[in-house]
Amino acid sequence: MSFQDILFYIFSAILVAAALGVITMRNPVNSALLLVLSFVTCAGLWLLLEAEFLAITLVLVYVGAVMVLFLFVVMMLDINLDRLREGFWKWFPFGAMVALIMVAEMSLVLMGKYFGLEEMPAPMPHDADYSNTRELGRLIYTEYVYAFELAAVLLLVAMVAAIALTLRHREDKRPTDSSKQVKVKKEDRLRIVSISTIKKD
Amino acid sequence: MEYFQQQFIDLFGTEWGAMLYTLASNMTFIFAIVVPLLLGVAYLTFAERKIIAYMQIRVGPNRVTFFGIPWLRGWGQPIADAVKAIMKEIVIPTGANKFLFILAPVLTIMPALAAWAVIPFSPELVLADINAGLLYILAMTSMGIYGIIIAGWASNSKYAFLGAMRSAAQVVSYELAMGFALVCVLMMSQSLNLGDIVNGQQGSSLLNWYLIPLFPMFLVYLISGVAETNRAPFDVAEGESEIVAGFHVDYSGMAFTVFFLAEYSNMILVATLTSIMFLGGWLPPIDIMPFTLIPGFVWLLLKIAFVLFLFLWFRATFPRYRYDQIMRLGWKVFIPITLIWIVVLGGIMQLPETMRNTFPLNIWF
């Protein structure tokens, strides 16, 4: 067993344990933190597959930005743990059915004859100076440019929609103009008056 | 080096010897980075107190000395502070989540130290010379925020939580501007490797540094760096006039010191990155005789010291920003500037070859 295999099993064990923890932890904050852990270990697994760009982007985007906001919201919720567990058994059959269908679908794909070690041999490892990021960038901006632009437009539409849904004009608001405020000089606000302090007899 | 490698191979056999040698040399390298870094942090606090003191016409720490030597007065201060912090009790507040309370400072210092792995100190001196070095740095610095949020939440205190919320929103906002400024750097250098970025600035003088063509980006990066490390004038996360001391109000002793260490090592990291991206890293300002005699490592240290001095100078000069003004500066000023500069830079790079070879442009493109 090579060193990379050992690393793979360590990362996988942590990933499975953390993923189980996400759904079994009582406290949602712990669940969110375990989700962060599973993202990071997943990035480690991707690094073993020589996908360093994807691995670092996963950490940068999901761990560095998305989960921070997620954690933020979860921490501010006033969560009643007993009410959260209410109706667990009522919804259990439905949840179990969805899980079973997903397992069945995945096994149909993964155990089929078009998928497996014989069909997909391990790719040749690249040299140390091979830049995964450069190759990915070249492909995105040449062959897959339309798909890439479409994804970008989709994100833009989602952003505009999110802002449009939450933006409200309120009558009672008194907006401040920061650029006016920072332009204020001493002369505009302050008047220095000289008053003689000695009482004249 | 080869002598030591041979010794290891003789001792442990061919296979294990090479592996153990790699392990040992990497560990030595890591210690050679971390130990001077932590000493640098200790003396940065001393420099901060001294410099700000002189700017405010005071003297600053001038008592603690080593072995009673009179001209070293004050230089023992950071060591004395560290010893005091180690002696103190770590108080865990009632109702705090004990595990996360202890974990938070560790999570803060981990990325602050891990990011140093890809920093090139001279053309050969780099621990991990990876292709996506810049991305790695961005990923590591973006993880530092977890320590702050967890500390704020686990303390079970409103003040700490408010500080953590402020800090998280601020860091996430300024990360965008910082990332866009770095996109300009990588457009110029056409590489994500930090060593290649420095090599791209090689030339006869400091005109070749990215400081000149990317001057607005340099300012954006520097100011965002100050905001990202929660330093004055952007230190609303620990604004003592409003929320006592922010996210680490409930921490004491060594746990507090670890936050302190992380903040200052992040400062040194941002200063190092600014030197590497915009100030030519290990390159001398003019490539002629007296300057080239000084090793590149020393030039890098001098540049880092200069940027750190700017950090301290800002703190002594500017009053604290109001929170909505911080957000306005990040979202409404910096991000548009960086986006426009990316478009301008892309336009220049698409100019015909003959135009790029005319005078001012031929220095950089």
Side-chain angles (χ1 to χ4, degrees), chain A residues 52 126-136, chain B residues 131-132 192:
Chain A
E52 79 261 8
H126 290 286
D127 297 330
D129 60 341
Y130 174 81
S131 176
N132 186 302
T133 318
R134 186 181 293 271
E135 282 304 301
L136 208 65
Chain B
N131 283 323
L192 281 167

Side-chain angles (χ1 to χ4, degrees), chain B residues 159 163 166 230-232 234-249 315 320:
Chain B
Y159 293 108
R166 285 181 172 197
N230 286 323
R231 292 280 307 171
F234 300 100
D235 58 344
V236 288
E238 45 189 287
E240 59 267 37
S241 54
E242 301 140 29
I243 48 170
V244 201
F247 62 91
H248 55 47
V249 64
R315 181 172 168 189
R320 185 178 291 137

Side-chain angles (χ1 to χ4, degrees), chain B residues 29-357:
Chain B
F29 208 153
I30 291 170
F31 272 102
I33 293 173
V34 170
V35 173
L37 178 66
L38 293 184
L39 272 178
V41 165
Y43 278 92
L44 181 59
T45 62
F46 178 61
E48 177 171 31
R49 293 174 67 180
K50 268 297 197 196
I51 288 170
I52 292 180
Y54 281 125
M55 283 179 181
Q56 295 168 345
I57 329 180
R58 296 184 284 120
V59 182
N62 67 342
R63 297 282 149 168
V64 191
T65 172
F66 294 110
F67 314 111
I69 303 169
W71 50 270
L72 276 179
R73 277 198 190 134
W75 285 82
Q77 190 68 47
I79 311 295
D81 286 343
V83 171
K84 185 192 79 172
I86 292 169
M87 300 290 198
K88 277 190 162 183
E89 182 193 358
I90 299 176
V91 183
I92 295 176
T94 331
N97 187 327
K98 203 170 174 184
F99 177 69
L100 290 182
F101 189 79
I102 300 294
L103 188 71
V106 181
L107 278 181
T108 319
I109 192 123
M110 184 275 291
L113 295 180
W116 283 87
V118 294
I119 300 285
F121 295 96
S122 77
E124 306 85 34
L125 214 59
V126 50
L127 176 58
D129 192 12
I130 62 172
N131 283 323
L134 197 59
L135 271 177
Y136 172 81
I137 295 260
L138 281 174
M140 281 300 136
T141 48
S142 69
M143 276 174 74
I145 183 69
Y146 279 98
I148 293 175
I149 301 186
I150 293 173
W153 184 77
S155 301
N156 193 28
S157 150
K158 288 189 182 68
Y159 293 108
F161 191 57
L162 278 174
M165 269 164 56
R166 285 181 172 197
S167 179
Q170 179 182 333
V171 171
V172 170
S173 312
Y174 276 88
E175 225 160 55
L176 288 172
M178 230 173 167
F180 279 134
L182 294 185
V183 166
C184 289
V185 171
L186 79 94
M187 278 167 83
M188 291 287 291
S189 66
Q190 315 209 334
S191 171
L192 281 167
N193 182 305
L194 292 175
D196 288 348
I197 289 175
V198 176
N199 284 329
Q201 304 175 58
Q202 194 124 35
S204 54
S205 69
L206 54 87
L207 273 181
N208 287 74
W209 296 355
Y210 293 154
L211 174 69
I212 313 283
L214 299 180
F215 188 68
M217 294 304 101
F218 168 70
L219 291 183
V220 167
Y221 186 79
L222 191 64
I223 298 171
S224 305
V226 178
E228 180 98 355
T229 47
N230 286 323
R231 292 280 307 171
F234 300 100
D235 58 344
V236 288
E238 45 189 287
E240 59 267 37
S241 54
E242 301 140 29
I243 48 170
V244 201
F247 62 91
H248 55 47
V249 64
D250 280 316
Y251 281 85
S252 60
M254 209 52 211
F256 169 74
T257 315
V258 172
F259 277 119
F260 210 68
L261 283 176
E263 181 185 328
Y264 280 79
S265 50
N266 268 327
M267 262 170 80
I268 303 181
L269 182 70
V270 169
T272 312
L273 288 176
T274 315
S275 318
I276 287 173
M277 314 276 186
F278 298 100
L279 302 176
W282 60 74
L283 301 170
I286 302 171
D287 206 11
I288 51 171
M289 195 47 187
F291 295 107
T292 46
L293 286 179
I294 300 170
F297 182 64
V298 178
W299 279 120
L300 183 63
L301 283 188
L302 284 176
K303 287 166 188 172
I304 296 172
F306 170 71
V307 181
L308 283 175
F309 177 73
L310 289 182
F311 270 78
L312 306 184
W313 196 359
F314 291 159
R315 181 172 168 189
T317 310
F318 297 120
R320 185 178 291 137
Y321 258 85
R322 214 174 58 200
Y323 198 77
D324 62 324
Q325 289 175 347
I326 290 184
M327 283 296 158
R328 173 180 164 269
L329 184 71
W331 288 98
K332 291 190 181 169
V333 180
F334 280 174
I335 292 179
I337 290 180
T338 47
L339 285 176
I340 289 171
W341 208 255
I342 288 176
V343 174
V344 169
L345 205 61
I348 296 176
M349 288 169 80
Q350 292 300 319
L351 284 178
E353 192 82 21
T354 48
M355 281 175 84
R356 273 186 288 141
N357 285 337

Side-chain angles (χ1 to χ4, degrees), chain A residues 56-89:
Chain A
I56 297 177
T57 314
L58 180 74
V59 174
L60 182 63
V61 176
Y62 282 88
V63 177
V66 174
M67 284 311 291
V68 171
L69 300 178
F70 214 85
L71 203 61
F72 221 57
V73 175
V74 169
M75 279 177 175
M76 280 195 283
L77 293 176
D78 183 26
I79 292 163
N80 190 341
L81 287 176
D82 291 327
R83 281 199 49 205
L84 211 65
R85 297 178 81 80
E86 230 170 55
F88 176 79
W89 289 111

